Amino acid sequence: MMTRFREPLLIFSGLGSVYGMGVRFTDVLLRIVAGGFLIPHGIKKIGGTDRFAAWLGGSLGMPVPELLAWLVVLVEVVFGACIVIGLWTRAAALGAIALMAGIVGFVHWEKGFFITSNGYEYSLMWLIVLLSVFFKGSGAYSVDAMIGKQF
């Protein structure tokens, strides 16, 4: 049986309206940051997918590197845009989570935690941000809300 938690009482009750107003906009801010930061990474790869695929196949030993390169571009650009506008948000976030999990596991894990040694710190943080988008959904100010459907 799941226990429901009571809302905590505010020490400064006058801040309740400020918090309430902020909650409505944090979904939008989270989506803009999570999706919006993916898009330029994908756009940057479009002109150099051959080099990116060569790196995936050569340095990482990934199978079908050309296909993977274009899948990464698709996730970063198209799924990133879907997250920003709140369209099919959870499905897009799930694809981006899979991408980030692959980046953490295949690219950065062996180098340790810290980003200063090319570790997984930054990519893991983005994976967690995308998990938040996945579980929160698109929120009230989104295309999903406009069409009345969420995945």
Side-chain angles (χ1 to χ4, degrees):
M1 182 169 144
M2 204 158 163
T3 305
R4 252 182 84 85
F5 292 99
R6 272 188 330 130
E7 284 291 320
L9 296 174
L10 297 174
I11 294 172
F12 301 106
S13 59
L15 292 176
S17 61
V18 174
Y19 296 149
M21 191 172 58
V23 165
R24 283 179 246 145
F25 298 104
T26 56
D27 294 333
V28 176
L29 290 174
L30 185 62
R31 283 196 341 261
I32 289 170
V33 169
F37 279 38
L38 287 173
I39 295 168
H41 286 276
I43 290 172
K44 181 179 173 186
K45 289 177 183 81
I46 290 174
T49 50
D50 292 341
R51 285 188 313 261
F52 182 52
W55 176 76
L56 287 171
S59 296
L60 298 181
M62 301 297 280
V64 290
E66 294 82 12
L67 175 63
L68 284 176
W70 282 106
L71 282 175
V72 168
V73 169
L74 172 80
V75 168
E76 290 177 343
V77 175
V78 177
F79 289 18
C82 285
I83 292 168
V84 168
I85 65 172
L87 175 64
W88 306 318
T89 307
R90 286 193 167 111
L94 194 58
I97 288 165
L99 173 64
M100 285 301 153
I103 290 169
V104 167
F106 291 108
V107 180
H108 298 291
W109 189 260
E110 290 179 351
K111 297 171 180 104
F113 177 76
F114 296 103
I115 195 169
T116 53
S117 59
N118 204 21
Y120 58 85
E121 171 182 16
Y122 185 71
S123 301
L124 180 62
M125 188 246 344
W126 278 109
L127 190 149
I128 293 166
V129 167
L130 288 160
L131 275 171
S132 296
V133 170
F134 176 78
F135 285 115
K136 284 179 72 61
S138 56
Y141 304 109
S142 64
V143 175
D144 287 340
M146 288 172 51
I147 62 175
K149 304 249 185 212
Q150 287 201 31
F151 288 87

